[in-house]
Amino acid sequence: MRAHVDGEGNRNNAFDGTAIVSRVRPIECTQRNFDYRWPFSLHSFSACRYDKFVFINVHPALTPRSYLKEQADQMAGWINEFAGQQPVIVTGDFNNNVFSDNLASLRTVANLTDVFNLKRDPAFKYPGTRGDNSIDHIFFRGFSQVVSAAVLPTDGMSDHRCVEARLKL
């Protein structure tokens, strides 16, 4: 997906920053952009509702850290609004460690759990290219079990590591 930003900083495309690609046709999808603050306007929230769950992909801003907290608060509200009581999976490049205070509203307001740390133990670490801190996460709620979770190998060309998980409803 792409967006065009003109010299005035106005977006002319509502779909930018994230995308969801699925073999299964969703019942409903939505796309939202976080509150506009140049140069962070191209970070967004994509959500699709399926028969038994909601899948959301996000990409909040990297800096300033205080803005990430505001975006996480927005995300928590949007997640609750769009998903309601349905099981939900939230993936994305969060540009922050899962234990960061900036992401606290995802854990508390949206009641999400990171697949790699069900116990929310701050000592937990898994491979990442920014030291031991992961910036890409899979959060969930409403699923009965994490069947498997893995951080895939990297070629070293990016600061990201692909994460994958299998969840049981």
Side-chain angles (χ1 to χ4, degrees), residues 8-26:
E8 304 275 319
N10 297 317
R11 294 170 293 195
N12 67 1
N13 183 343
F15 298 98
D16 55 8
T18 63
I20 296 174
V21 179
S22 174
R23 291 182 291 170
V24 179
R25 185 178 182 93

Side-chain angles (χ1 to χ4, degrees), residues 52-53 87-89 115 118 138 140-149 165-169:
K52 297 182 179 182
F53 67 94
V88 63
I89 300 168
V115 297
L118 299 177
I138 301 172
F140 75 97
R141 74 172 184 221
F143 288 80
S144 65
Q145 179 183 4
V146 176
V147 177
S148 64
R166 291 185 62 187
L167 304 172
K168 183 177 181 180
L169 276 172

Side-chain angles (χ1 to χ4, degrees), residues 132-154:
D132 289 327
N133 293 326
S134 172
I135 58 174
D136 303 301
H137 301 287
I138 301 172
F139 290 98
F140 75 97
R141 74 172 184 221
F143 288 80
S144 65
Q145 179 183 4
V146 176
V147 177
S148 64
V151 179
L152 303 181
T154 181

Side-chain angles (χ1 to χ4, degrees), residues 2-6 9-16 33 41-42:
R2 68 184 176 119
H4 170 76
V5 180
D6 68 21
N10 297 317
R11 294 170 293 195
N12 67 1
N13 183 343
F15 298 98
D16 55 8
N33 290 305
S41 63
L42 301 182

Side-chain angles (χ1 to χ4, degrees), residues 105-135:
S105 61
L106 296 180
R107 295 186 305 272
T108 58
V109 177
N111 198 30
L112 298 176
T113 301
D114 184 270
V115 297
F116 290 99
N117 188 10
L118 299 177
K119 296 180 181 178
R120 297 183 179 139
D121 177 0
F124 176 82
K125 296 178 180 177
Y126 59 99
T129 54
R130 290 189 177 174
D132 289 327
N133 293 326
S134 172
I135 58 174

Side-chain angles (χ1 to χ4, degrees), residues 40-57:
F40 306 113
S41 63
L42 301 182
H43 296 83
S44 61
F45 173 100
S46 300
C48 288
R49 181 184 323 283
Y50 296 89
D51 186 38
K52 297 182 179 182
F53 67 94
V54 171
F55 185 86
I56 298 170
N57 187 25

Side-chain angles (χ1 to χ4, degrees), residues 46-103:
S46 300
C48 288
R49 181 184 323 283
Y50 296 89
D51 186 38
K52 297 182 179 182
F53 67 94
V54 171
F55 185 86
I56 298 170
N57 187 25
V58 301
H59 186 225
L62 175 60
T63 57
R65 293 293 187 207
S66 60
Y67 187 44
L68 180 58
K69 183 186 180 322
E70 290 176 33
Q71 289 181 325
D73 292 346
Q74 271 187 309
M75 274 188 273
W78 291 344
I79 291 164
N80 289 336
E81 177 186 327
F82 190 74
Q85 297 302 310
Q86 281 189 280
V88 63
I89 300 168
V90 180
T91 65
D93 171 6
F94 289 85
N95 287 312
N96 220 309
N97 181 289
V98 69
F99 303 108
S100 163
D101 289 342
N102 293 332
L103 299 182

